[in-house]
Amino acid sequence: MKKTGKILLIAIIATLTLIGVTNNVHAATKPNYIITTDATYPPFDFQDKNNQYTGIDQEILKTIAKRQNFTYTLKPMSFNAATQSVSSGQADGVIAGMSITDERKAVFDFGTPYYRSGIGWAVKKDSNIKSLKDLKGKTVALKTGTSGVDYALSIQKKYGFKVTYFNDSDTLYNDVINDNAQATFGDLPVIQYAVKNGTQLKVMNPKSPIQAGWYGFGVQKGKNAKLLADFNKGFASIKEDGTYDKIVAKYLGASAATFTGNKKDNNSVVGILKANNGAFLNGLWQTIILTVSAIVLASIWGILLGIMGVSQNAGIRGLSTTIIYTFRGLPLMVLAFFIYIGLPGVIGMKIPAFTAGLITLVLNEGAYTGAFVRGGFDAVDRGQMEAARSLGLTYGKSMRKVIVPQGLKIMVPSFINQFIITLKDTSILSAIGILELTQTGSLIVSRNSQGFRVWAIVAVIYLIVITLLTWLSNWVEKRTRA
Amino acid sequence: MSEAQTKSKIHVDKVNKSYGENHVLRDISLDINQNEVVVMIGPSGSGKSTFLRMLNQLEKPDNGTIIVDGFDISEKATDINKVRENIGMVFQNFNLFNNYTVLENIMLAPVELGKMDKAAAEKKARELLDTVGLVDKADVSVNSLSGGQKQRVAIARALAMEPDVMLFDEPTSALDPEMVGDVLEVMKNLADSGMTMIIVTHEMGFAKQVADRVVFFESGKIQESGSPEQVFNQPKNERLQEFLSKVMHA
Ligand SMILES: Nc1ncnc2c1ncn2[C@@H]1O[C@H](COP(=O)(O)OP(=O)(O)OP(=O)(O)O)[C@@H](O)[C@H]1O
Ligand SMILES: [Mg+2]
């Protein structure tokens, strides 16, 4: 058992390293930067119908990179994760429709302001709200970390509304459309673009942005001066030769279908599947390798914790109990953010999202596994250990030869249950930008606004995988019972 | 060390054991000679099991000395696993390893402890199964055996390490009456072969038949000890008399 465990571990680490390496192969001579964005933010950042990242921000960046001769790896994630990744040094730059504020200037160095935007507010299409005064007692939906939040909070007292927060725009809009919230504040061009694409909202101040301000490209304060200089030089050049105006016009002037796919593709499940089969497959693949790696590593770690939990040494038992208590107690997402965004600043090393996600899963699922493994060993009759010890077998040998095999058999149903939970928990890691099945769904919905159909597809894929996993587990269980 | 102590196979001197407030063994001293068969009797809770389990360190005494085969097992430096290889133990509830077949149960310790290679261990296991009358059960799972069969396999498992001393803790108490005879017969043969044995049992007839010495435990003390003749027919201790009148008439 010990040997197979070791070999497995090595194999997994090797695989992970390979995955990491293939993602990072670039021309050696050009500098390569890691740029984060929030790809649920059309018209600035989103996925087009071919699942390519596009938008005003992305075209500006792509053009500048080409002219200034640098390359970059784009990491889409939630807006908060995107900015925090840069401020913590996990990534080099962020372009995500980010307003330049004094607060942010304390943490970021900004490039030349590239787009003048302002705050807009919108209500449901047939709403009878006419002015800010009508918001009294109503709920306003806001996207976390945006300047819409700052503005809404600054007038909240005056107009007496409640606020609710969302991480992605599409869920937010649907909340207003479904009347859970009655209005939203956000960046005017973003809301306008959504309405143009069929979102059933009404913009209340289309001509007069509130608190007009500028969007900027940000790097960690005091770092990456070269990247910033390149960005500014490139930006000056696209501004001068008119490329910039063309890009903006392309997104704000064009009909929506150019980017979001045609109606036929978006209005049926088959159409959505056909148009996005590559994206769904990639997402599914990420979900599967994340799940399988996590299951294997968490099981090894959990069994170790369980064995520590029944140790003869009270200190080791206490350590196991503490580890289990801690990591069972932490919400998965908090743990993920802590490892991905919090830890790199302290240890001074970047942690790739996939690795951070995997560590998160292993710690969390491993703690649950440890708890039931310890319980399983406790459930083995004490007489078994006494008989083994009375023959002269050491504690370790008695565990390996007698207690562990019997305990594992008791635990098989718990393991199967934990595997299924692990698969479902991978979806939470979409928050740190791992492009797995759930994040894939988010990106597609933010483009085509077909929440019901896309999420139904995603749900069915999860159910199919869970069914397969259950079958496989039951087959293994039957074999271990024989 | 006195002459008498070096000769005895097991030497116990002033051993005490408490579980919290419960003083279970009080200043117990006892010497057991090579080839001797000692039967321990006494009411429930009097400390018989605790004493027996102390002889192979399944329980640790609070103080006192226990020397087995010349090894002071109450000493921390003694490798208790080595000593245990020479002390077989048979439990009331058999405690056969549920994850192995009959043969594997018997072979496990000799193979794992490097005492024999697999082939030798298997040969030995089959011989032992023959002596306990279960040679045809070698390859079945232990869960398919009756209680009497399980206990005989357990005895064979303990004997596979070729111990000098065998400890039995109520080996027939969990058995249906019709199974008891087979197990006692195996034990009788073992006693006849010269094995040093310490047996906790409620089978008074068997005690009379095989014991060289009978020891009566009560309230954590050895109240009386002597030949079966003395203990059963001329009991001096009042509590022993009371105990015998109860069990003999039951
Ligand atoms: N692990 C333990 N923890 C606490 N108390 C114990 C433990 N083991 C035994 N005792 C107590 O020690 C006393 C002696 O128990 P022991 O099992 O040695 O008695 P016994 O003579 O073998 O009785 P029986 O004939 O019922 O088997 C009892 O009061 C019992 O409750
Ligand atoms: Mg007892």
Side-chain angles (χ1 to χ4, degrees), chain A residues 267-309:
Chain A
N267 286 359
S268 76
V269 167
V270 179
I272 292 171
L273 265 177
K274 261 194 198 146
N276 299 287
N277 63 8
F280 279 124
L281 277 178
N282 276 334
L284 177 61
W285 175 240
Q286 282 292 312
T287 291
I288 287 174
I289 52 170
L290 200 54
T291 304
V292 170
S293 320
I295 282 175
V296 173
L297 292 175
S299 296
I300 294 171
W301 174 230
I303 290 170
L304 198 74
L305 281 176
I307 289 174
M308 286 165 63

Side-chain angles (χ1 to χ4, degrees), chain A residues 86-105:
Chain A
V86 173
S87 60
S88 68
Q90 279 278 67
D92 300 305
V94 50
I95 187 156
M98 175 164 63
S99 302
I100 300 173
T101 63
D102 287 341
E103 224 171 47
R104 288 192 181 127
K105 273 185 188 161

Side-chain angles (χ1 to χ4, degrees), chain A residues 403-417:
Chain A
I403 309 299
V404 171
Q406 293 186 46
L408 287 180
K409 209 176 245 188
I410 299 173
M411 298 162 206
V412 168
S414 307
F415 268 111
I416 294 175
N417 191 37

